[in-house]
Amino acid sequence: MSLLNLVRENLMNISSRRISRCFSRSATSKRPHFPCVEAHAVRESQLRQTTFGSIPSSVSSTDSSESGPEPPYARPNPKSYHVYHDPAPLELTYASPLPSFDVAYETWGTLSPEKDNAILLHTGLSASSHAASTALNPAPGWWEKFIGPGKALDTNQFFIICTNVVGGCYGSTGPSSIDPTTGTHYATNFPIVSIFDMVRAQFRLLDHLGIDTLYASVGCSLGGMQSLAAGWLHPERVGKIVSISGTARSSPSAVAMRYAQRSVLMADPNWNYGFYYDKLPPHTGMKLARQIATITYRSGPEWDLRFGRQMRPVLEQSPDKPRAPALCPDFLIETYLDHQGEQFCLKYDANSLIYISKAMDLFDLTASSLSANHLIIPSSSASTPTLSFTPHQTSHSKSHPPPANPPPHLIDLAEGMQPLSKIPTLVLGVQSDILFTVEQQRETADALRMVGNEQVSYYELGGVWGHDTFLLDVLNVGGAIRGFLS
């Protein structure tokens, strides 16, 4: 017998003895029942009964515990958005150009004859171009309460454009798209894309629409990075910048949280190195990744108020005995996470999640990072600035004084953000955000002020909604945007 076979036999014997000990209490012991684990098998069975690649309705999960506000995310119908196809190559930061590309987009309001009232709205990681309801798609969008007549993005004044980013899966070119050179899905042969690449594609769309200058570049989360990148790439074409719960330099903690999501997703056997199209998708990994993401999107204080330590109700409970705990979701917060993962796992493409989250990790506007990636500061902004922490009229305030102990990278960041020195910028942070902490928004505002931007407006919002505040706090987020754009 070979050594390998001997090792295998010993391991099997050890496993058998352990299993025997676990079930030695009674010869009639029943196999444990774990609905939360068995749900994965049920979902997989449903998927096998459908045409591979189609999206069945989600498997029923445990109690959804939908007792609080949730943003409306949904897979849009391809007939409900416009698609701009560009047959020319798209230059990429880290790879050879894409030979051609598509950008899915939707619009609201009317473009002025001078084409000077356009606002480019950038999305979060998993959002589509459907930011608000339209005639083609009357379903509420992910920023429904922020777009419309008299709202933060006032369609009586502005022409709003929202795109699905390159790398996404809702109409724009991404890993699930067909590679024109092979006739098959790109899968993980899709090139690594950067935030800058996404913005370059958006500006190609603007060129197609005949829009030379944006009134404003507005974004939240991933979109907050894009709004800064738009100003960095094209300072002469961006009139104002709004960056909400974003950053100019991804922090190690945010990178770690996104890495954990990618890890559980890529560990799903169905992921198959990214080549799962026309096969079973990595639905279990997607569900677990979404649960991790949801933890980073909200806050402990909100969940304490919303769920506390409440347990899910049980059908049979003896008044004479304590409630029997379960290894599957037992606390309401657990049922909430289970529901969030279940609702998301078949709505979004796994490879798009991997690629876009990686692009977020790579985003870094420090001068040293830009230089390492051969990103050249536009010549109009290339003069070396005088960096200073001295307060000035429109800069630091009592609520946000100059940093007493600035982080080591702040000067490097300020040098990299030179192109934004003359663009009026609104930076919004949320104190309960654990994904894009307020320190990241503070250093963005500080770096802009150090480089001489006298038109920085910075606000920190309270509340308990964490990172998702930008989706839910219409009064404060919407009010700040409306005031800044007016």
Side-chain angles (χ1 to χ4, degrees):
M1 179 182 293
S2 69
L3 178 61
L4 179 59
N5 288 335
L6 181 62
V7 171
R8 285 175 174 167
E9 183 175 335
N10 287 337
L11 288 174
M12 291 176 65
N13 289 336
I14 292 171
S15 298
S16 298
R17 288 195 296 270
R18 286 177 174 170
I19 293 171
S20 297
R21 286 197 297 269
C22 290
F23 293 93
S24 61
R25 292 176 300 162
S26 170
T28 59
S29 293
K30 295 182 180 179
R31 182 178 179 179
H33 178 50
F34 296 108
C36 57
V37 176
E38 291 154 7
H40 300 309
V42 173
R43 190 187 317 112
E44 183 145 324
S45 176
Q46 287 190 353
L47 285 167
R48 289 185 183 280
Q49 293 172 20
T50 65
T51 302
F52 286 138
S54 65
I55 305 296
S57 58
S58 294
V59 179
S60 298
S61 60
T62 50
D63 179 9
S64 67
S65 299
E66 290 284 7
S67 60
E70 297 297 332
Y73 281 122
R75 175 182 287 269
N77 187 317
K79 295 181 180 180
S80 67
Y81 51 75
H82 308 287
V83 177
Y84 163 63
H85 174 73
D86 195 319
L90 176 67
E91 294 292 329
L92 301 178
T93 304
Y94 304 107
S96 299
L98 277 175
S100 62
F101 64 96
D102 292 341
V103 175
Y105 70 100
E106 297 179 48
T107 66
W108 302 263
T110 303
L111 186 62
S112 67
E114 298 79 11
K115 298 186 176 182
D116 60 356
N117 68 332
I119 291 178
L120 181 59
L121 175 61
H122 309 276
T123 73
L125 190 159
S126 56
S128 70
S129 59
H130 191 61
S133 54
T134 64
L136 291 176
N137 186 355
W142 56 267
W143 236 28
E144 184 74 23
K145 296 181 180 179
F146 292 82
I147 300 172
K151 296 181 180 180
L153 300 187
D154 190 347
T155 51
N156 288 333
Q157 302 180 52
F158 302 117
F159 178 65
I160 318 300
I161 309 162
C162 184
T163 79
N164 181 227
V165 297
V166 166
C169 57
Y170 292 148
S172 294
T173 299
S176 60
S177 302
I178 300 299
D179 181 349
T181 65
T182 66
T184 59
H185 296 282
Y186 277 105
T188 45
N189 284 325
F190 192 73
I192 298 290
V193 292
S194 71
I195 302 293
F196 294 106
D197 302 334
M198 299 172 183
V199 173
R200 289 188 186 102
Q202 291 171 330
F203 272 79
R204 295 271 283 272
L205 168 64
L206 295 178
D207 293 339
H208 168 72
L209 297 175
I211 298 171
D212 183 60
T213 304
L214 289 171
Y215 184 86
S217 174
V218 178
C220 317
S221 187
L222 161 67
M225 299 176 176
Q226 290 177 271
S227 64
L228 294 172
W232 192 94
L233 284 171
H234 301 287
E236 75 289 350
R237 297 185 65 178
V238 177
K240 294 184 177 183
I241 292 173
V242 176
S243 181
I244 305 167
S245 294
T247 184
R249 170 186 174 272
S250 279
S251 69
S253 63
V255 172
M257 292 182 214
R258 287 188 287 266
Y259 170 72
Q261 296 172 50
R262 292 194 297 271
S263 294
V264 297
L265 175 50
M266 295 167 76
D268 186 327
N270 286 347
W271 183 64
N272 191 35
Y273 297 92
F275 290 84
Y276 52 82
Y277 302 107
D278 302 321
K279 300 177 183 178
L280 286 173
H283 54 93
T284 298
M286 280 292 280
K287 178 173 180 176
L288 299 177
R290 186 61 173 186
Q291 290 177 350
I292 296 171
T294 302
I295 295 170
T296 71
Y297 294 157
R298 307 305 274 258
S299 79
E302 179 201 0
W303 287 341
D304 209 18
L305 292 170
R306 187 168 169 182
F307 304 116
R309 289 184 53 81
Q310 296 181 74
M311 312 286 275
R312 65 176 178 82
V314 293
L315 297 178
E316 298 178 5
Q317 174 63 44
S318 171
D320 302 325
K321 296 181 179 180
R323 183 186 184 281
L327 295 179
C328 276
D330 219 8
F331 289 95
L332 289 190
I333 182 59
E334 294 176 314
T335 68
Y336 170 76
L337 290 177
D338 185 75
H339 175 76
Q340 290 298 313
E342 192 68 51
Q343 290 297 302
F344 182 79
C345 69
L346 298 176
K347 285 181 180 177
Y348 198 72
D349 180 57
N351 283 334
S352 284
L353 177 61
I354 291 170
Y355 273 80
I356 296 175
S357 67
K358 187 66 178 183
M360 296 172 75
D361 292 351
L362 294 168
F363 188 63
D364 185 349
L365 286 179
T366 59
S368 58
S369 175
L370 294 168
S371 176
N373 289 308
H374 304 285
L375 292 164
I376 308 301
I377 294 177
S379 57
S380 61
S381 309
S383 58
T384 303
T386 301
L387 304 180
S388 171
F389 286 116
T390 304
H392 43 80
Q393 185 175 0
T394 61
S395 177
H396 298 97
S397 64
K398 290 181 180 179
S399 62
H400 181 215
N405 299 298
H409 60 265
L410 189 56
I411 291 178
D412 194 14
L413 183 61
E415 291 176 352
M417 296 181 73
Q418 292 177 45
L420 308 178
S421 62
K422 293 180 172 58
I423 305 176
T425 303
L426 170 64
V427 180
L428 282 182
V430 177
Q431 292 170 349
S432 58
D433 190 341
I434 65 170
L435 181 57
F436 288 74
T437 61
V438 288
E439 286 77 16
Q440 294 175 73
Q441 288 89 53
R442 289 173 185 171
E443 70 181 24
T444 298
D446 286 333
L448 288 170
R449 290 162 176 164
M450 287 171 63
V451 84
N453 192 326
E454 293 277 349
Q455 302 176 83
V456 179
S457 300
Y458 174 76
Y459 300 103
E460 281 181 20
L461 303 180
V464 297
W465 289 323
H467 186 61
D468 273 358
T469 295
F470 75 85
L471 294 165
L472 303 169
D473 191 348
V474 179
L475 178 64
N476 292 301
V477 174
I481 296 171
R482 185 167 53 250
F484 178 73
L485 294 179
S486 63

